[in-house]
Amino acid sequence: MTAQAISDAVAELRREVALPVEPNRRGPVLINRIFDELDLQHLEVTELTRGRVFEQLAAWGLVINLTGDPSEPLDGFLFTASDTGYVFISHNKRNILPRRRFSVAHEIGHFRLHRQVMDRWREDRVIDVAVDDPVEKEANRFAAELLMPREVCEARAAEMRQSSRACPRGVLAYRLAA
């Protein structure tokens, strides 16, 4: 998938959920609005593992065959059933809020970009691919563009240059993540 196709998908999602890019707005992207509009369920789980995902799905009446190591730690996980998605995010000491928000946006990216692939699998579909897989890179790009739109990044950089006469990348990245 091209970078432009991913940008277009983010723009389409923002239009769909009435979440325009506002360069002068402060604060995080309102991810809950996306969950509400897309019929996505979201759950943060302390020390998320593959086994905990399957336990929670079973508690919701979604019984599926466990694949992989149940003790495998996960940052995020997406399960789809029909038109509904279930996003699981790990809550632990190393997974600070900006990282969790990125993981959430990453899973939303899978839900929006890769449903066609997922829909070819059996009803109990699970996205489970290696980090260097192009599908993961696409979801990462989707997340970055959703959480840090170009217009917002440029506006914050211009503010830093005006107030400090400099715009160190690390400082800008920190401010954007916060």
Side-chain angles (χ1 to χ4, degrees):
M1 182 172 273
T2 67
Q4 186 59 53
I6 294 169
S7 293
D8 292 346
V10 171
E12 180 183 330
L13 173 63
R14 283 179 164 281
R15 278 191 301 277
E16 197 175 305
V17 301
L19 195 61
V21 173
E22 301 175 61
N24 295 323
R25 182 183 175 281
R26 296 285 195 244
V29 172
L30 304 174
I31 292 178
N32 283 343
R33 184 181 299 169
I34 296 170
F35 280 111
D36 294 343
E37 294 291 326
L38 296 184
D39 194 23
L40 280 170
Q41 306 303 314
H42 169 238
L43 184 66
E44 282 194 11
V45 178
T46 302
E47 302 299 335
L48 182 66
T49 63
R50 186 175 295 276
R52 288 198 173 131
V53 167
F54 286 87
E55 288 170 9
Q56 184 60 56
L57 291 172
W60 289 335
L62 299 165
V63 181
I64 61 174
N65 294 326
L66 175 64
T67 59
D69 177 3
S71 65
E72 176 188 358
L74 303 170
D75 286 330
F77 191 92
L78 172 67
F79 175 82
T80 64
S82 300
D83 290 334
T84 302
Y86 300 86
V87 174
F88 296 85
I89 300 299
S90 185
H91 188 135
N92 56 42
K93 290 177 185 175
R94 69 175 176 76
N95 219 4
I96 61 174
L97 182 60
R99 177 67 176 104
R100 291 194 313 267
R101 288 180 55 77
F102 186 86
S103 294
V104 166
H106 173 97
E107 300 303 336
I108 292 170
H110 280 311
F111 190 75
R112 288 301 290 223
L113 300 175
H114 306 126
R115 293 281 299 278
Q116 313 86 316
V117 173
M118 295 167 70
D119 285 342
R120 281 188 244 133
W121 298 350
R122 65 186 198 283
E123 186 61 27
D124 306 329
R125 303 181 290 285
V126 175
I127 279 204
D128 181 24
V129 292
V131 174
D132 63 347
D133 188 294
V135 169
E136 291 300 306
K137 290 179 181 179
E138 291 168 1
N140 283 342
R141 183 173 191 108
F142 183 98
E145 292 199 26
L146 178 63
L147 296 176
M148 298 182 295
R150 176 182 301 277
E151 298 88 343
V152 172
C153 294
E154 289 171 350
R156 294 300 88 72
E159 289 170 3
M160 284 181 66
R161 277 189 223 95
Q162 185 175 17
S163 66
S164 307
R165 294 194 174 106
C167 183
R169 288 186 135 198
V171 175
L172 177 62
Y174 177 81
R175 287 185 182 178
L176 289 168

